Amino acid sequence: MEKLLEKEEFIKFVKDGDKLLVGGFGMSGTPLTLIDEIAASSLKNLTVVSNNLGEPGKGLGILLNEKKLNKAIGSYFTTNRDAVQAWVDGELEIELIPQGTLAEAVRCGGAGIGGFYTKTAVGTKLAEGKEVRVIEGERFILEKAIKGDVSLIKAHKADHLGNLVYDHTGRNFNPVMATASKVVIAEVDEIVKNGELNPSEIVTPHVYVDYIVKSHYVKKAGVFVASD
């Protein structure tokens, strides 16, 4: 199967109302090219699972401003004041999940595990309505696994099979997000021939990746800017 797509082609794999698992931490490791294409499309009522919603007018913040989002599930939305304001105005539903819990919930989704018990958030508002179980004298809450319709992730390099190598901290949530959706689309900075990647550097094996899109952003002075 040919995995390499032009940036405009991947949109056909996303539908109105889909749940998108999106890699990134702040703006690091964020699939900016894929986000731009969704922002320019007619898609709407999307749910995004991601650590945060970018920054005002940047990254996932663009989808918020373009009214593409119905709900956001993640940990750290205060990096984008527009997200907070949209929640205050009733325009965006937000589900807060502690950062480690988010990572483990997505990992469980990718591993076929229904959920897990954790002490994090016990006794807080985040635990309201969740099953509580006492294990060896301590209270735990049940967190259900998170799975998506489409994962949008960002890697540094890919070969034509779809094996992925990440760029330092750009790795963050991307590998786990790559395991937990029906369709996985990876935006990459560079595409190399099969066999050129060192096997010990490959973090996400090609079996998890359905399609690859070449990034239209380049890094200048440590910041990614559009190349066209």
Side-chain angles (χ1 to χ4, degrees), residues 6-215:
E6 294 298 327
K7 65 176 183 175
E8 302 87 359
E9 294 181 298
F10 85 93
I11 286 291
K12 62 186 177 183
F13 299 105
V14 187
K15 306 183 301 298
D16 288 350
D18 271 356
K19 180 187 285 187
L20 308 181
L21 307 188
V22 184
F25 188 101
M27 293 294 291
S28 177
T30 300
L32 300 175
T33 300
L34 303 183
I35 290 171
D36 286 348
E37 290 302 310
I38 290 178
S41 74
S42 61
L43 290 165
K44 59 184 184 298
N45 297 324
L46 300 171
T47 293
V48 163
V49 180
S50 190
N51 182 62
N52 58 287
L53 284 181
E55 299 174 2
K58 297 179 181 179
L60 287 170
I62 298 175
L63 299 190
L64 177 66
N65 292 347
E66 293 295 325
K67 310 296 184 184
K68 303 295 183 182
L69 304 184
N70 180 56
K71 183 176 181 179
I73 301 171
S75 303
Y76 195 52
F77 296 122
T78 53
T79 56
N80 188 347
R81 61 179 178 270
D82 294 339
V84 177
Q85 190 61 53
W87 174 76
V88 170
D89 295 340
E91 298 176 354
L92 178 69
E93 182 182 352
I94 283 180
E95 181 179 338
L96 285 175
I97 301 180
Q99 206 165 73
T101 302
L102 174 64
E104 181 64 5
V106 176
R107 189 196 71 81
C108 285
I113 299 170
F116 62 101
Y117 288 96
T118 178
K119 291 168 60 177
T120 304
V122 168
T124 72
K125 287 188 176 182
L126 296 183
E128 291 180 358
K130 295 180 179 179
E131 178 188 331
V132 178
R133 184 170 181 177
V134 177
I135 303 174
E136 296 184 349
E138 296 187 86
R139 289 190 301 159
F140 291 76
I141 58 173
L142 175 64
E143 293 284 358
K144 296 180 180 179
I146 292 176
K147 294 186 285 187
D149 297 298
V150 181
S151 286
L152 306 178
I153 64 172
K154 173 67 179 358
H156 179 46
K157 290 183 181 181
D159 60 19
H160 286 267
L161 289 173
N163 294 303
L164 302 181
V165 173
Y166 298 94
D167 183 15
H168 297 88
T169 57
R171 176 172 172 170
N172 53 66
F173 280 90
N174 283 293
V176 72
M177 295 296 193
T179 69
S181 286
K182 300 170 186 174
V183 178
V184 177
I185 302 167
E187 175 181 336
V188 300
D189 299 320
E190 183 180 350
I191 300 171
V192 302
K193 294 179 180 178
N194 295 338
E196 288 191 15
L197 295 179
N198 185 332
S200 66
E201 295 179 333
I202 294 170
V203 176
T204 299
H206 66 88
V207 293
Y208 288 108
V209 180
D210 295 297
Y211 300 104
I212 308 164
V213 174
K214 180 74 163 56
S215 179

